Amino acid sequence: MATRLGLGLPQNKQYDLGRDVPDVARAAEEIGYDSLWVYERALFPEPATQGLYGIEGLPWPEAYRGVADPLVTLTLAAAVTERARLGTSVLVAPLHVPFQLAKSLASLDAASGGRVVAGLGTGWSLDEYAAASVRPFEERGQVLDELIEVCRAVWGPDPVAYDGRLTKIASAVVGPKPARPIPILLPAMSKKAQRRLVDHADGWMPVGMGAETLAAQWQGLQELAAERGRTEPIQTVVRVNTQYSAAGHSGADRAPFQGSVDQIVEDLVAHAEVGLDEILIELQSSVRDAQEFKEVAAEVYEKARAAGV
């Protein structure tokens, strides 16, 4: 069975949200992509109090100066598509009130006919936490735990009741319900996060940094699942952040998914051989506009399928 292929939607500042999101979403579904994805960046601190991903001295990309709201972006895509699943990679859970996020995701799933995939994470930006979080950065794992529980409760049968640290739901009817159970995926890099995934989530959403590394991570997660007695399969979507260049990359130091379409496809083939369910391809940061976005997305898809991905 071929690996499913997904495509990140145009959220960054160089795009026209109302025009380019529907345009790319329609085109991606017509090309054959199985899913459409969004990510979350709440703000661009200037000056930043920390580097990108919390790494000292690593600058934030200019594209982060204007990232559209993920659920608004997915709603625009949902309105013009019929088949493609609609995923978040990822929502920064502690930046959202759990009950409200659960209800928003349920509404989008009901409106789209059961196509939502909820990728959730804890984030890393202290500036985003200062501006928007429901609890301090140090409590991010606890917030994610509660948010998952609240989602399960709100999406489940009525009457809904929940008594948590952030969320108190007395016996109540909460609708609309999702069209089907919404899968929850987590990046889960640390051992503690991996235990959370194995015990409470539906799937894993790593970032592809090299096929050998990915294979080792996947093996370790499967071993942990066996140790903890999980029998339900773990759904998998690997996110690959590309740096497309029409001229390609000729250096020996080429990072995975950097270079021409042919070089990107070469890396897709290697990562597909790990055996995960789906690959999410992020292109938007290294193309000029929506037209080039669609052209490169079509070429990547066609060549990946021809190569057996």
Side-chain angles (χ1 to χ4, degrees):
M1 179 178 175
T3 304
R4 295 195 302 267
L5 294 178
L7 185 68
L9 289 167
Q11 294 173 262
N12 293 352
K13 71 169 190 171
Q14 72 263 40
Y15 299 104
D16 182 301
L17 181 65
R19 180 191 65 211
D20 293 342
V21 170
D23 184 30
V24 171
R26 273 191 299 260
E29 189 171 72
E30 290 170 2
I31 290 165
Y33 281 97
D34 298 286
S35 55
L36 303 167
W37 297 83
V38 293
Y39 74 106
E40 183 161 40
R41 275 279 68 80
L43 47 72
F44 186 98
E46 198 171 45
T49 57
Q50 63 181 155
L52 184 69
Y53 310 131
I55 300 171
E56 186 176 355
L58 188 62
W60 289 47
E62 283 296 303
Y64 283 2
R65 286 184 177 274
V67 179
D69 179 87
L71 294 186
V72 170
T73 305
L74 273 191
T75 301
L76 289 168
V80 298
T81 56
E82 297 179 354
R83 172 188 56 79
R85 289 175 306 119
L86 307 163
T88 61
S89 175
V90 295
L91 292 178
V92 183
L95 305 187
H96 299 268
V97 175
F99 178 83
Q100 292 176 336
L101 180 59
K103 189 172 173 83
S104 294
L105 289 168
S107 298
L108 181 57
D109 193 73
S112 65
R115 294 191 279 146
V116 171
V117 179
L120 306 175
T122 54
W124 49 267
S125 170
L126 299 178
D127 294 286
E128 290 183 339
Y129 269 77
S133 68
V134 296
R135 295 297 300 170
F137 183 78
E138 293 75 20
E139 299 176 24
R140 59 196 182 278
Q142 298 170 40
V143 175
L144 177 56
D145 288 336
E146 179 160 325
L147 190 145
I148 292 171
E149 292 177 354
V150 170
C151 284
R152 302 290 194 206
V154 168
W155 300 341
D158 292 321
V160 174
Y162 184 82
D163 186 10
R165 184 179 181 189
L166 294 170
T167 310
K168 310 286 185 182
I169 308 172
S171 181
V173 174
V174 183
K177 299 297 184 185
R180 91 308 185 213
I182 298 174
I184 293 176
L185 277 61
L186 306 176
M189 298 303 294
S190 70
K191 280 296 182 184
K192 184 176 181 179
Q194 289 173 354
R195 289 193 294 271
R196 176 188 292 119
L197 186 160
V198 167
D199 294 345
H200 303 295
D202 300 292
W204 182 45
M205 181 169 278
V207 175
M209 304 290 285
E212 290 185 6
T213 299
L214 182 65
Q217 292 172 336
W218 178 224
Q219 180 64 34
L221 187 61
Q222 290 175 298
E223 291 172 357
L224 179 63
E227 290 171 9
R228 299 182 74 81
R230 178 173 177 138
T231 56
E232 182 182 358
I234 297 174
Q235 300 177 35
T236 51
V237 180
V238 56
R239 178 189 182 95
V240 299
N241 298 312
T242 71
Q243 285 296 319
Y244 165 71
S245 169
H249 191 292
S250 58
D253 61 341
R254 185 177 75 86
F257 303 105
Q258 181 183 50
S260 66
V261 167
D262 288 339
Q263 289 173 316
I264 290 170
V265 168
E266 177 184 332
D267 294 328
L268 287 173
V269 170
H271 282 67
E273 289 174 352
V274 175
L276 303 190
D277 300 327
E278 184 164 359
I279 300 175
L280 152 61
I281 302 167
E282 181 62 68
L283 289 170
Q284 66 176 308
S285 295
S286 52
V287 293
R288 292 186 304 273
D289 52 28
Q291 183 58 39
E292 186 179 33
F293 194 150
K294 292 185 293 183
E295 292 169 359
V296 174
E299 188 178 358
V300 168
Y301 184 88
E302 290 163 6
K303 288 187 173 181
R305 290 305 189 211
V309 177

